[in-house]
mmCIF file with all atom_site columns, all heavy atoms in Angstrom:
data_model
loop_
_atom_site.group_PDB
_atom_site.id
_atom_site.type_symbol
_atom_site.label_atom_id
_atom_site.label_alt_id
_atom_site.label_comp_id
_atom_site.label_asym_id
_atom_site.label_entity_id
_atom_site.label_seq_id
_atom_site.pdbx_PDB_ins_code
_atom_site.Cartn_x
_atom_site.Cartn_y
_atom_site.Cartn_z
_atom_site.occupancy
_atom_site.B_iso_or_equiv
_atom_site.pdbx_formal_charge
_atom_site.auth_seq_id
_atom_site.auth_comp_id
_atom_site.auth_asym_id
_atom_site.auth_atom_id
_atom_site.pdbx_PDB_model_num
ATOM 1  N N   . GLU A 1 12  ? -36.511 90.782  10.007  1.00 69.00 ? 12  GLU A N   1
ATOM 2  C CA  . GLU A 1 12  ? -36.984 91.284  8.727   1.00 69.00 ? 12  GLU A CA  1
ATOM 3  C C   . GLU A 1 12  ? -37.455 90.128  7.847   1.00 69.00 ? 12  GLU A C   1
ATOM 4  O O   . GLU A 1 12  ? -37.170 88.970  8.122   1.00 69.00 ? 12  GLU A O   1
ATOM 5  C CB  . GLU A 1 12  ? -35.871 92.044  8.014   1.00 69.00 ? 12  GLU A CB  1
ATOM 6  C CG  . GLU A 1 12  ? -35.450 93.293  8.757   1.00 69.00 ? 12  GLU A CG  1
ATOM 7  C CD  . GLU A 1 12  ? -34.381 94.061  8.025   1.00 69.00 ? 12  GLU A CD  1
ATOM 8  O OE1 . GLU A 1 12  ? -33.339 93.465  7.688   1.00 69.00 ? 12  GLU A OE1 1
ATOM 9  O OE2 . GLU A 1 12  ? -34.592 95.248  7.791   1.00 69.00 ? 12  GLU A OE2 1
ATOM 10 N N   . ALA A 1 14  ? -36.435 89.112  5.009   1.00 72.00 ? 14  ALA A N   1
ATOM 11 C CA  . ALA A 1 14  ? -35.327 88.309  4.479   1.00 72.00 ? 14  ALA A CA  1
ATOM 12 C C   . ALA A 1 14  ? -34.891 87.245  5.479   1.00 72.00 ? 14  ALA A C   1
ATOM 13 O O   . ALA A 1 14  ? -34.394 86.188  5.100   1.00 72.00 ? 14  ALA A O   1
ATOM 14 C CB  . ALA A 1 14  ? -34.146 89.205  4.115   1.00 72.00 ? 14  ALA A CB  1
ATOM 15 N N   . ASP A 1 29  ? -37.263 82.868  -5.250  1.00 80.00 ? 29  ASP A N   1
ATOM 16 C CA  . ASP A 1 29  ? -35.977 83.505  -4.994  1.00 80.00 ? 29  ASP A CA  1
ATOM 17 C C   . ASP A 1 29  ? -35.928 83.898  -3.523  1.00 80.00 ? 29  ASP A C   1
ATOM 18 O O   . ASP A 1 29  ? -36.574 84.859  -3.102  1.00 80.00 ? 29  ASP A O   1
ATOM 19 C CB  . ASP A 1 29  ? -35.821 84.734  -5.890  1.00 80.00 ? 29  ASP A CB  1
ATOM 20 C CG  . ASP A 1 29  ? -34.460 85.398  -5.767  1.00 80.00 ? 29  ASP A CG  1
ATOM 21 O OD1 . ASP A 1 29  ? -33.768 85.186  -4.742  1.00 80.00 ? 29  ASP A OD1 1
ATOM 22 O OD2 . ASP A 1 29  ? -34.085 86.135  -6.690  1.00 80.00 ? 29  ASP A OD2 1
ATOM 23 N N   . ALA A 1 62  ? -52.794 69.633  -30.199 1.00 47.00 ? 62  ALA A N   1
ATOM 24 C CA  . ALA A 1 62  ? -52.767 69.034  -28.860 1.00 47.00 ? 62  ALA A CA  1
ATOM 25 C C   . ALA A 1 62  ? -51.366 68.824  -28.313 1.00 47.00 ? 62  ALA A C   1
ATOM 26 O O   . ALA A 1 62  ? -51.202 68.668  -27.115 1.00 47.00 ? 62  ALA A O   1
ATOM 27 C CB  . ALA A 1 62  ? -53.527 67.715  -28.877 1.00 47.00 ? 62  ALA A CB  1
ATOM 28 N N   . THR A 1 63  ? -50.346 68.844  -29.162 1.00 48.00 ? 63  THR A N   1
ATOM 29 C CA  . THR A 1 63  ? -49.002 68.616  -28.647 1.00 48.00 ? 63  THR A CA  1
ATOM 30 C C   . THR A 1 63  ? -48.496 69.790  -27.830 1.00 48.00 ? 63  THR A C   1
ATOM 31 O O   . THR A 1 63  ? -47.475 69.686  -27.177 1.00 48.00 ? 63  THR A O   1
ATOM 32 C CB  . THR A 1 63  ? -48.013 68.317  -29.792 1.00 48.00 ? 63  THR A CB  1
ATOM 33 O OG1 . THR A 1 63  ? -48.002 69.428  -30.695 1.00 48.00 ? 63  THR A OG1 1
ATOM 34 C CG2 . THR A 1 63  ? -48.390 67.049  -30.509 1.00 48.00 ? 63  THR A CG2 1
ATOM 35 N N   . GLY A 1 67  ? -47.940 66.917  -20.027 1.00 57.00 ? 67  GLY A N   1
ATOM 36 C CA  . GLY A 1 67  ? -47.929 66.905  -18.583 1.00 57.00 ? 67  GLY A CA  1
ATOM 37 C C   . GLY A 1 67  ? -48.155 65.519  -18.036 1.00 57.00 ? 67  GLY A C   1
ATOM 38 O O   . GLY A 1 67  ? -48.391 64.567  -18.773 1.00 57.00 ? 67  GLY A O   1
ATOM 39 N N   . THR A 1 107 ? -52.963 79.301  2.356   1.00 81.00 ? 107 THR A N   1
ATOM 40 C CA  . THR A 1 107 ? -53.473 79.676  1.041   1.00 81.00 ? 107 THR A CA  1
ATOM 41 C C   . THR A 1 107 ? -54.668 80.599  1.192   1.00 81.00 ? 107 THR A C   1
ATOM 42 O O   . THR A 1 107 ? -55.377 80.564  2.194   1.00 81.00 ? 107 THR A O   1
ATOM 43 C CB  . THR A 1 107 ? -53.913 78.439  0.223   1.00 81.00 ? 107 THR A CB  1
ATOM 44 O OG1 . THR A 1 107 ? -54.954 77.768  0.927   1.00 81.00 ? 107 THR A OG1 1
ATOM 45 C CG2 . THR A 1 107 ? -52.757 77.498  -0.014  1.00 81.00 ? 107 THR A CG2 1
ATOM 46 N N   . TYR A 1 131 ? -40.940 89.926  25.406  1.00 81.00 ? 131 TYR A N   1
ATOM 47 C CA  . TYR A 1 131 ? -41.533 89.680  24.096  1.00 81.00 ? 131 TYR A CA  1
ATOM 48 C C   . TYR A 1 131 ? -43.028 89.442  24.253  1.00 81.00 ? 131 TYR A C   1
ATOM 49 O O   . TYR A 1 131 ? -43.456 88.641  25.063  1.00 81.00 ? 131 TYR A O   1
ATOM 50 C CB  . TYR A 1 131 ? -40.868 88.462  23.445  1.00 81.00 ? 131 TYR A CB  1
ATOM 51 C CG  . TYR A 1 131 ? -41.542 88.020  22.167  1.00 81.00 ? 131 TYR A CG  1
ATOM 52 C CD1 . TYR A 1 131 ? -41.612 88.871  21.078  1.00 81.00 ? 131 TYR A CD1 1
ATOM 53 C CD2 . TYR A 1 131 ? -42.122 86.767  22.060  1.00 81.00 ? 131 TYR A CD2 1
ATOM 54 C CE1 . TYR A 1 131 ? -42.233 88.483  19.904  1.00 81.00 ? 131 TYR A CE1 1
ATOM 55 C CE2 . TYR A 1 131 ? -42.744 86.363  20.895  1.00 81.00 ? 131 TYR A CE2 1
ATOM 56 C CZ  . TYR A 1 131 ? -42.805 87.228  19.819  1.00 81.00 ? 131 TYR A CZ  1
ATOM 57 O OH  . TYR A 1 131 ? -43.426 86.840  18.656  1.00 81.00 ? 131 TYR A OH  1
ATOM 58 N N   . ARG A 1 160 ? -26.310 103.794 31.493  1.00 57.00 ? 160 ARG A N   1
ATOM 59 C CA  . ARG A 1 160 ? -26.025 103.483 32.891  1.00 57.00 ? 160 ARG A CA  1
ATOM 60 C C   . ARG A 1 160 ? -26.265 104.747 33.704  1.00 57.00 ? 160 ARG A C   1
ATOM 61 O O   . ARG A 1 160 ? -25.765 105.823 33.384  1.00 57.00 ? 160 ARG A O   1
ATOM 62 C CB  . ARG A 1 160 ? -24.564 103.047 33.047  1.00 57.00 ? 160 ARG A CB  1
ATOM 63 C CG  . ARG A 1 160 ? -24.186 102.746 34.476  1.00 57.00 ? 160 ARG A CG  1
ATOM 64 C CD  . ARG A 1 160 ? -22.748 102.225 34.527  1.00 57.00 ? 160 ARG A CD  1
ATOM 65 N NE  . ARG A 1 160 ? -22.372 101.947 35.903  1.00 57.00 ? 160 ARG A NE  1
ATOM 66 C CZ  . ARG A 1 160 ? -21.667 102.759 36.656  1.00 57.00 ? 160 ARG A CZ  1
ATOM 67 N NH1 . ARG A 1 160 ? -21.244 103.917 36.179  1.00 57.00 ? 160 ARG A NH1 1
ATOM 68 N NH2 . ARG A 1 160 ? -21.357 102.432 37.877  1.00 57.00 ? 160 ARG A NH2 1
ATOM 69 N N   . THR A 1 161 ? -27.066 104.610 34.737  1.00 57.00 ? 161 THR A N   1
ATOM 70 C CA  . THR A 1 161 ? -27.325 105.745 35.616  1.00 57.00 ? 161 THR A CA  1
ATOM 71 C C   . THR A 1 161 ? -26.223 105.759 36.675  1.00 57.00 ? 161 THR A C   1
ATOM 72 O O   . THR A 1 161 ? -25.996 104.739 37.324  1.00 57.00 ? 161 THR A O   1
ATOM 73 C CB  . THR A 1 161 ? -28.711 105.589 36.303  1.00 57.00 ? 161 THR A CB  1
ATOM 74 O OG1 . THR A 1 161 ? -29.676 105.423 35.304  1.00 57.00 ? 161 THR A OG1 1
ATOM 75 C CG2 . THR A 1 161 ? -29.031 106.798 37.151  1.00 57.00 ? 161 THR A CG2 1
ATOM 76 N N   . MET A 1 164 ? -25.431 108.448 43.073  1.00 46.00 ? 164 MET A N   1
ATOM 77 C CA  . MET A 1 164 ? -25.282 109.766 43.687  1.00 46.00 ? 164 MET A CA  1
ATOM 78 C C   . MET A 1 164 ? -24.611 109.645 45.007  1.00 46.00 ? 164 MET A C   1
ATOM 79 O O   . MET A 1 164 ? -24.719 108.824 45.768  1.00 46.00 ? 164 MET A O   1
ATOM 80 C CB  . MET A 1 164 ? -26.634 110.428 43.858  1.00 46.00 ? 164 MET A CB  1
ATOM 81 C CG  . MET A 1 164 ? -27.328 110.585 42.555  1.00 46.00 ? 164 MET A CG  1
ATOM 82 S SD  . MET A 1 164 ? -28.228 112.128 42.586  1.00 46.00 ? 164 MET A SD  1
ATOM 83 C CE  . MET A 1 164 ? -28.766 112.166 40.945  1.00 46.00 ? 164 MET A CE  1
#
Side-chain angles (χ1 to χ4, degrees):
E12 295 182 306
D29 185 339
T63 59
T107 61
Y131 172 61
R160 178 176 179 261
T161 305
M164 301 216 173

